[in-house]
Amino acid sequence: MTEQIAMPQVDDEEFPHRSSREIITVMSGLMITMLLAMLDNTIVGPALPTIVGDLGGLQHLSWVLTAYTLATAISTLLWGKLGDLFGRRGTFMASIVLFLIGSALTGMSQNMMELIGFRALQGLGAGGLIVGVMAILGELIPPAERGKYQGLFMAIMPLAMLGGPLIGGWITDNASWRWAFYVNIPLGAIALTTVWFTLHLPHRNKGKVTIDWWGAGTLAVWASALVLLGSWAGTQYAWGSWQIVLLAVLAVGFFAAFVAIEQRVDEPILPLHVFANRNFALAGALAFVIGMAMMGAAAYLPQFQQLVQGASATNSGLLLLPMMFPMIIASLIIGQMTTRTGKIRIFPIIGGAILTIGMLMFTQVHVDTTKLMLSSFMVVLGFGIGCLMQPSMLIAQNSVSIRDMGAGMGASTFLRTMGMSLGTAILGTVYTTRLTDTLSDRAGAAGDQLVKGGAQLPPSVIHTLPAQLQDALHHGVTNGIAGVFWAGSAAALIAFVVSLFFKDVKLKGFSAPAPEQKAAEVNAV
């Protein structure tokens, strides 16, 4: 079941001293890689209508995103564990290379099935990017000092969410959608070169460890079955069909086998003991919900902006600015405040409340919703997400030892990407179901043909459709978007409730001023 490797033990909690200049130098390569990973989550959104218009297969639209996030989730835990076993630098660079190969092949796709398959390959490489960055950062810097540095990484996420739609939109409008994937290659080459020259980690011996291949295999089966279940139930197949029943049995059966394996092997791919820490378990739940909520905004708002409001692909990226800036500001402020105070519990509580309000605002969209009103909704949504992203990661990092940092960050990233993957599948099902139902009700057979017939419909030709069909499409997209955000509101409310149960624990490495020092400071004033 496992392959044995013998290594001596070492102190888990040793953080070598590094100057700020040295840390920033290393971070330059990590930040480029983080941008590479996050950019590909969002660069595809504005190009999707055009991709479907070129390749057809509107009914498979959500799988362009789901295949990527599912493969990322499945591979995340394996990359994290391989980093623990064989060193973070080598496995990190290997994941970058695999990601670039997948990007090149995706850009060459000739039909929707090829596109989805190569997106999955791309996702296998992407699984090692974010977990690699977070595990390396967790090994370089103590948690109490990590906030001010990690705030920069958290700011990259909204920057990528902004840059992705902008770059994807500009490419779609001015070149071929294929360059939305080819653009990864030069950026990835820069990241790979920077990491090669700047990243130098001390060798950490881990004692006798094992590679949990059986755990990885069962994980792939139950995670895939679960996402397929969320995507197909009630749309592709009836709830009571043998296909859906089989998927449910596979998900439950292989999940049980996965848990049993993880409890018995020496080095599990997902160490279940980390979930004994209440804060880590809650942070994982929060990461899952955040991933689900973020995908609703990133993946489906461009559909409304292009197909209903008539925005170009480039402009639909620009129109996301009101959501991105609050995310960046919140991440940077929280990073500084946690470094100064060592406390973090209040931020996810605030973020969960604001995110719920923002999601509920979006449920009120209608065909005549103005861009100004939509922008005001985005400001609230962006601030809520910004107050949740960094706290969930910091709490998770603070709850595991360096010995388990790779696996722990793999678990946290896995839960977030599973939230994104399952969320994309479920939200995609909600969106497609409400869209097709509205088209059928308002346009009859002609409406059915737009989706079920695999019609190719780039946004640029919507204005050439008959007025009745345009009206049906506008209402269908709007109805689908409202459904997406109703589901997102439920997820955000869960995030708020989860955040109330965090235990208020000081971040590791934080030292409050001694009473004598405080008194001296007061007297000096």
Side-chain angles (χ1 to χ4, degrees):
M1 180 180 295
T2 56
E3 178 183 336
Q4 301 291 327
I5 301 172
M7 297 178 181
Q9 270 290 12
V10 75
D11 181 8
D12 283 343
E13 297 304 323
E14 180 185 352
F15 288 93
H17 174 74
R18 289 180 172 85
S19 66
S20 295
R21 181 177 180 179
E22 183 181 0
I23 292 173
I24 292 297
T25 301
V26 173
M27 283 179 57
S28 62
L30 300 183
M31 291 176 72
I32 294 172
T33 309
M34 175 68 86
L35 179 63
L36 181 71
M38 298 304 300
L39 198 65
D40 216 71
N41 275 323
T42 56
I43 196 173
V44 182
L48 278 179
T50 302
I51 291 173
V52 173
D54 187 11
L55 300 181
L58 178 59
Q59 68 273 29
H60 301 304
L61 179 144
S62 66
W63 273 98
V64 178
L65 300 171
T66 302
Y68 178 84
T69 54
L70 177 60
T72 301
I74 291 171
S75 63
T76 289
L77 292 172
L78 185 58
W79 283 115
K81 198 61 178 181
L82 289 176
D84 285 342
L85 301 181
F86 300 113
R88 308 207 192 282
R89 185 172 181 267
T91 54
F92 186 49
M93 295 178 68
S95 68
I96 296 176
V97 171
L98 183 58
F99 176 82
L100 295 181
I101 293 173
S103 297
L105 292 174
T106 303
M108 292 186 281
S109 301
Q110 298 301 309
N111 56 62
M112 188 61 80
M113 291 300 103
E114 284 186 8
L115 182 73
I116 293 171
F118 290 139
R119 280 284 282 170
L121 178 63
Q122 191 183 21
L124 290 176
L129 302 185
I130 297 178
V131 67
V133 168
M134 290 306 173
I136 291 168
L137 189 64
E139 187 167 330
L140 286 174
I141 311 166
E145 294 294 321
R146 202 173 294 150
K148 61 184 178 183
Y149 296 108
Q150 194 155 283
L152 298 174
F153 284 92
M154 294 301 105
I156 286 177
M157 293 187 184
L159 279 175
M161 290 183 68
L162 169 62
L166 282 175
I167 296 171
W170 186 88
I171 288 172
T172 302
D173 285 339
N174 297 281
S176 167
W177 59 263
R178 298 179 187 278
W179 280 96
F181 304 104
Y182 292 150
V183 74
N184 291 330
I185 297 174
L187 185 60
I190 294 172
L192 195 62
T193 303
T194 306
V195 168
W196 175 271
F197 285 108
T198 65
L199 181 59
H200 303 287
L201 294 173
H203 179 67
R204 287 190 178 273
N205 296 322
K206 302 301 179 183
K208 188 172 74 171
V209 294
T210 55
I211 302 175
D212 181 19
W213 297 115
W214 283 103
T218 52
L219 167 70
V221 175
W222 73 256
S224 300
L226 185 61
V227 174
L228 287 171
L229 184 65
S231 180
W232 288 347
T235 54
Q236 193 84 3
Y237 303 103
W239 278 98
S241 65
W242 69 266
Q243 293 93 339
I244 298 302
V245 172
L246 177 60
L247 285 174
V249 171
L250 287 174
V252 173
F254 276 84
F255 177 76
F258 173 74
V259 171
I261 290 170
E262 300 308 276
Q263 290 175 332
R264 296 165 66 177
V265 297
D266 293 331
E267 287 285 353
I269 190 174
L270 178 60
L272 300 181
H273 70 266
V274 298
F275 292 99
N277 183 297
R278 186 175 80 181
N279 274 8
F280 184 89
L282 293 175
L286 193 61
F288 182 90
V289 173
I290 293 169
M292 179 179 290
M294 285 177 63
M295 288 308 296
Y300 295 102
L301 275 179
Q303 300 283 315
F304 179 79
Q305 291 165 327
Q306 291 183 50
L307 299 178
V308 177
Q309 294 186 325
S312 67
T314 301
N315 286 339
S316 70
L318 286 171
L319 290 172
L320 293 177
L321 274 170
M323 183 171 66
M324 305 311 162
F325 282 130
M327 291 171 66
I328 296 171
I329 293 170
S331 293
L332 293 174
I333 291 175
I334 290 173
Q336 292 297 322
M337 292 183 69
T338 54
T339 297
R340 292 176 183 176
T341 65
K343 293 187 177 182
I344 198 168
R345 179 177 180 268
I346 187 62
F347 298 114
I349 295 174
I350 294 172
I354 296 175
L355 181 62
T356 303
I357 294 171
M359 286 286 181
L360 288 172
M361 287 180 172
F362 275 100
T363 64
Q364 303 306 307
V365 296
H366 49 81
V367 173
D368 298 320
T369 296
T370 64
K371 293 178 181 178
L372 179 61
M373 182 177 294
L374 203 69
S375 295
S376 66
F377 295 170
M378 289 183 194
V379 170
V380 179
L381 191 68
F383 195 75
I385 294 174
C387 288
L388 287 170
M389 286 194 304
Q390 174 154 224
S392 66
M393 185 59 69
L394 268 178
I395 291 170
Q397 288 174 328
N398 193 60
S399 303
V400 296
S401 66
I402 293 179
R403 171 71 169 80
D404 289 323
M405 186 61 71
M409 291 306 95
S412 180
T413 307
F414 168 76
L415 289 169
R416 183 173 62 253
T417 50
M418 272 302 292
M420 295 172 67
S421 185
L422 193 58
T424 301
I426 294 173
L427 296 178
T429 297
V430 171
Y431 176 80
T432 304
T433 300
R434 291 170 71 104
L435 169 63
T436 54
D437 288 347
T438 304
L439 285 173
S440 297
D441 291 342
R442 287 180 171 265
D448 290 338
Q449 180 63 24
L450 285 178
V451 178
K452 298 178 181 177
Q456 296 178 337
L457 188 66
S460 58
V461 303
I462 287 178
H463 68 278
T464 65
L465 296 173
Q468 181 187 6
L469 203 52
Q470 286 189 49
D471 179 73
L473 182 62
H474 289 167
H475 281 85
V477 170
T478 303
N479 195 27
I481 289 293
V484 164
F485 282 98
W486 274 117
S489 299
L493 182 60
I494 293 172
F496 171 70
V497 173
V498 165
S499 66
L500 295 175
F501 292 92
F502 277 118
K503 187 178 179 181
D504 195 6
V505 176
K506 290 283 186 180
L507 296 176
K508 294 176 183 177
F510 178 78
S511 297
E516 297 80 4
Q517 181 181 347
K518 289 183 179 179
E521 291 174 355
V522 172
N523 292 332
V525 175

